[in-house]
Amino acid sequence: MVDLTKENFDEEVLNAQGYVLVDFYGDGCVPCAALMPHIHGFEETYGQTVKFCSLNTTKARRLAISQKVLGLPVIAVYKDGVMIDSRVKDEATPEACEEMIKNYA
């Protein structure tokens, strides 16, 4: 899993070719912490076709807002630099996220 920062977000996500999943999470976000092990497991299964990244929104608040991340957790899929799908807050269940990932893997 690639740890994203404001310095590498463009290179790793916006300028990337193909599918990139970004796990937007925050320090102290209990639902984010509960979802993270599932996302790591999905990376083991789907990591050959989807690039997996994570962004700590606590450390990159402006970047998160620029990506229209206004609540947590957010699991988003980008294709060729454009966000094409996401699961937000209560929609970001492990089952819903895996179903979304399967669509792009």
Side-chain angles (χ1 to χ4, degrees):
M1 175 127 2
V2 177
D3 288 323
L4 297 171
T5 64
K6 62 185 177 185
E7 290 80 21
N8 71 356
F9 189 85
D10 286 359
E11 177 186 344
E12 297 291 346
V13 179
L14 300 182
N15 297 330
Q17 297 297 306
Y19 294 106
V20 180
L21 178 136
V22 180
D23 175 12
F24 292 93
Y25 71 97
D27 293 337
C29 172
V30 174
C32 299
L35 187 58
M36 195 170 292
H38 297 281
I39 300 299
H40 284 280
F42 300 149
E43 181 181 24
E44 291 177 18
T45 304
Y46 304 106
Q48 298 298 322
T49 54
V50 177
K51 179 180 180 180
F52 282 73
C53 303
S54 63
L55 177 74
N56 184 337
T57 61
T58 305
K59 295 179 181 176
R61 183 178 218 90
R62 287 186 183 159
L63 175 57
I65 291 169
S66 77
Q67 296 301 303
K68 300 187 178 24
V69 173
L70 302 176
L72 295 175
V74 173
I75 306 299
V77 175
Y78 292 74
K79 181 171 193 256
D80 301 332
V82 176
M83 187 187 299
I84 60 168
D85 203 351
S86 66
R87 298 295 177 270
V88 180
K89 294 185 174 185
D90 293 341
E91 295 175 352
T93 65
E95 298 79 16
C97 291
E98 184 171 25
E99 194 62 39
M100 178 181 68
I101 295 165
K102 284 181 181 179
N103 290 329
Y104 307 108

